[in-house]
Amino acid sequence: MRALVWNGTNDIRCETVDDPRIEDPRDCILKVSSTAICGSDLHLMDGVVPKMQQGDILGHEFMGEVVEVGADVKRLKVGDRVVVPFTISCGECWFCQREMYSLCDTTNRTAENARAAMGHAPAGLFGYSHLTGGYSGGQAEYVRVPHADVGPIKLENDLPDDKVLFLSDIFPTGWMAAENAIGDEKGKTVAVWGAGPVGQFAVRSAWMMGAERVIVIDRVPERLELAASYGKAETIDYSQTDVKEALDEMTGGRGPDAGIDAVGAEAHGHGVLGDIKDKVELHTTGMSDQPFALQEMVMSVRKGGTLSVPGVYADKVTFPIGPFMNKGLTMKSGQTHMQRYLAPLLKRVEAGEIDLSEIITHRGDLKDGPDFYKTFRDKHDGCIKCVMKPEEL
């Protein structure tokens, strides 16, 4: 089969590789109908996430048709159309029983790497390095899906792939980000750093949760335009405006009630924060996490406010703990507990409350993947989201 394969930093290729096979009776094999490139995949391309190995198959946003099931799979059958969450969870461990699925205790096959880097190992993830299990991803014609009765959500509708594909990651991720920022309190002002796909869905989710105002910070014109049109948000272009001053002015000097860091490790520095030289090198890659959005969020959110961090970080960062502590801020973070959100968010999609397809700007075949990676990373050609079909369009 064909798949997008990591061959080193900035070296993604479409190659012919072995077809996946059932390895455990709880597995299924999926014929992929649609797959997408996530912003966090760019961290893999750029060498920011450690423990990548040559030949790793990428991709954690995918869906398709079940073509084979293991002997112990009860919930799915051949022919079922499913969306697969990016987290691999057993459904039985202490964390899964508490619906903290991205912290599953049993699915990270390379747990020793994660424990050395983080103290404890999170769940296995599709296509996301040997920190998180070394599982082959779904930017391929076929993919093996472990714990098939726990992860995939079966579709009982005829909605096209474009309308449901992003249930695999970025819509639930934006939703959990907004949930962590807002909680049960309606009427909040929420600032979102980053107008990429997760940021766009965090904006829409914040409105659905009862936010009073949503303000988006970015520098890419088409992303800011989408945040204003699709997201109905106020916008700040950080390349033209001091963000802290703008937010103070917009909120009467208080600052927003909550902030969402939808950027993560590769934020672009600007202003005073852009001059910070104390970046921490990742011990396996020599690259650096760049927490500029996170740092600015600490300084900008009001006293007693909440910080939500869905943006991916790979290692240590320079963090303004003094302002964080003295302002009485709270931070919530984590990979998305996907299985908690799939069914309720699918109902919202089916009810027409949100059209997930409106962020797609580029469509193509797997062979277009290497070029799409670069276009997406470099924000060329108005690129916001790339979707690929394993069969040519």
Side-chain angles (χ1 to χ4, degrees):
M1 69 170 186
R2 294 179 303 152
L4 297 187
V5 176
W6 190 89
N7 282 279
T9 301
N10 295 318
D11 188 357
I12 310 298
R13 306 177 196 172
C14 184
E15 297 182 347
T16 299
V17 299
D18 292 338
D19 290 352
R21 58 181 178 81
I22 297 287
E23 298 178 16
D24 183 280
R26 296 166 294 181
D27 293 348
C28 79
I29 302 297
L30 197 72
K31 181 180 181 181
V32 177
S33 59
S34 292
T35 184
I37 301 173
C38 181
S40 56
D41 287 330
L42 301 182
H43 302 324
L44 304 178
M45 178 184 182
D46 292 341
V48 172
V49 177
K51 301 298 182 182
M52 290 294 292
Q53 295 180 9
Q54 186 173 2
D56 284 348
I57 298 173
L58 301 168
H60 59 267
E61 295 181 341
F62 59 92
M63 62 178 292
E65 178 185 340
V66 176
V67 294
E68 186 178 357
V69 295
D72 291 347
V73 175
K74 308 300 182 187
R75 194 174 59 84
L76 298 179
K77 65 182 185 302
V78 172
D80 283 343
R81 181 172 175 244
V82 299
V83 177
V84 181
F86 74 93
T87 53
I88 303 170
S89 308
C90 71
E92 299 175 352
C93 70
W94 190 91
F95 291 96
C96 287
Q97 288 297 303
R98 288 158 178 79
E99 295 191 323
M100 294 186 284
Y101 295 102
S102 69
L103 304 178
C104 177
D105 241 352
T106 69
T107 56
N108 191 332
R109 303 182 301 182
T110 54
E112 66 281 0
N113 291 335
R115 283 194 292 266
M118 307 176 193
H120 298 87
L125 307 179
F126 286 102
Y128 215 76
S129 92
H130 296 260
L131 270 183
T132 56
Y135 290 93
S136 293
Q139 290 171 3
E141 293 181 308
Y142 295 89
V143 62
R144 180 178 76 93
V145 179
H147 294 283
D149 278 341
V150 180
I153 185 167
K154 185 162 57 174
L155 300 173
E156 306 285 2
N157 58 58
D158 57 0
L159 290 172
D161 284 11
D162 287 357
K163 304 288 187 181
V164 291
L165 172 60
F166 302 139
L167 287 166
S168 60
D169 177 4
I170 54 175
F171 181 29
T173 294
W175 183 271
M176 190 172 109
E179 182 179 76
N180 282 343
I182 294 173
D184 297 325
E185 185 180 344
K186 297 184 184 301
K188 284 188 173 182
T189 295
V190 180
V192 180
W193 273 259
V198 169
Q200 300 289 344
F201 288 140
V203 170
R204 293 295 301 270
S205 299
W207 287 126
M208 286 189 273
M209 292 179 192
E212 182 176 300
R213 296 176 72 186
V214 183
I215 304 166
V216 174
I217 300 103
D218 206 297
R219 67 182 175 92
V220 182
E222 55 268 22
R223 293 187 174 200
L224 290 169
E225 290 167 7
L226 188 63
S229 59
Y230 178 65
K232 311 301 182 187
E234 301 167 71
T235 62
I236 297 173
D237 181 344
Y238 72 72
S239 69
Q240 303 295 321
T241 306
D242 183 284
V243 173
K244 171 66 165 56
E245 290 181 2
L247 288 171
D248 280 348
E249 183 176 348
M250 296 167 79
T251 59
R254 180 183 295 168
D257 300 299
I260 296 173
D261 174 4
V263 182
E266 295 187 273
H268 291 86
H270 55 279
V272 174
L273 295 178
D275 295 331
I276 292 175
K277 303 300 183 184
D278 188 14
K279 301 175 186 177
V280 181
E281 286 193 352
L282 302 185
H283 64 280
T284 55
T285 66
M287 301 294 290
S288 298
D289 276 10
Q290 299 176 171
F292 301 123
L294 181 60
Q295 292 166 338
E296 187 168 71
M297 192 163 69
V298 171
M299 301 300 291
S300 301
V301 169
R302 69 160 170 82
K303 295 176 289 186
T306 303
L307 313 179
S308 173
V309 186
V312 172
Y313 289 89
D315 201 25
K316 305 176 184 70
V317 299
T318 301
F319 183 77
I321 187 64
F324 178 83
M325 175 268 170
N326 283 287
K327 291 177 68 174
L329 299 173
T330 298
M331 183 187 297
K332 297 181 180 181
S333 64
Q335 299 283 5
T336 310
H337 303 306
M338 290 292 296
Q339 290 84 345
R340 183 193 300 177
Y341 301 107
L342 285 173
L345 293 185
L346 174 58
K347 288 181 180 178
R348 289 182 179 270
V349 171
E350 291 174 332
E353 295 180 37
I354 184 170
D355 183 349
L356 304 185
S357 68
E358 290 190 29
I359 70 167
I360 301 172
T361 54
H362 290 65
R363 294 176 172 86
D365 176 64
L366 279 177
K367 70 177 184 298
D368 300 309
D371 288 336
F372 278 175
Y373 262 87
K374 294 175 183 177
T375 300
F376 186 28
R377 181 195 59 190
D378 298 337
K379 302 177 179 62
H380 287 167
D381 193 31
C383 185
I384 293 175
K385 191 67 177 179
C386 303
V387 172
M388 297 167 288
K389 305 279 188 181
E391 297 178 351
E392 291 192 15
L393 298 175

